Amino acid sequence: MRYGIISDIHGNLEALQAVLEYLEAEGVEKYICGGDIVGYGANPNQCVEIAAGLKALAVLGNHDAASLGLKDISWFNIPAREAVIWSSRELSEDNKDYLRSLPQILTNPARKGEANFTLVHGSPRDPLDEYLRGERELEENLPLLDTPLCLVGHTHIPLSFHSRTGKKTGQKSLSPGERINLKNEGKVIVNVGSVGQPRDGDPRASTGIYDSQRQEIEIKRIPYPLEKTQEKIIEAGLSQGLALRLAYGR
Ligand code: ZN
């Protein structure tokens, strides 16, 4: 099975469309969505409708939960909080129902050609909120996994974490075009980065293709017309900073 991985779309319709066009051309058969479909960007309804239409294997993100009123947003920074309140007003009831239907942890069973993996937005021990980005967090989370592969989002930075059996654990930044070999790796946690708001200094949308037959995940970066996305953010009355950061990939 060839899975297209999309995470942290954040209401960025132009980035999502560019990524899906690429993934479709690459012969992706199924989609995996790591949460945060909304928040920050100006097209929450359209992005939710697309994810729902793809019948993606999807989990809830912290911004999705906040837009549903399921989370205390007092600790969100001001632009993020304003965008969550705005998204909550904008989202249709049908789209809220879709987001409400998403689990926080999804375990995909190995059956009928499907791959066995866990999907969470943050981390296995704290699915909505923990940022997985260090060796310590990795070592504490790995024992909680009962599948060989775990896909995460939330940090918006492409990273992989490995626990080779009997060897030391390690983490690795993932460059465009890089392939992560999942054979003989023990447990692996992979973050393919963010579609709609990358934060690793590369403004292009980030995505990944998981080929379960070849047992590898390939990281891809896709350019999109971000000036259009920026205009929409400003027209919607959201923070200018949310528009500006897209150009820097921060
Ligand atoms: Zn996010």
Side-chain angles (χ1 to χ4, degrees), residues 8 10 36 63 121 154 156:
D8 297 275
H10 284 294
D36 275 4
H63 285 255
H121 180 63
H154 197 37
H156 299 201

Side-chain angles (χ1 to χ4, degrees), residues 75 85-86 109 114 141 163 185:
W75 62 271
I85 294 166
W86 182 87
E114 289 259 357
N141 273 284
S163 96
E185 285 283 354

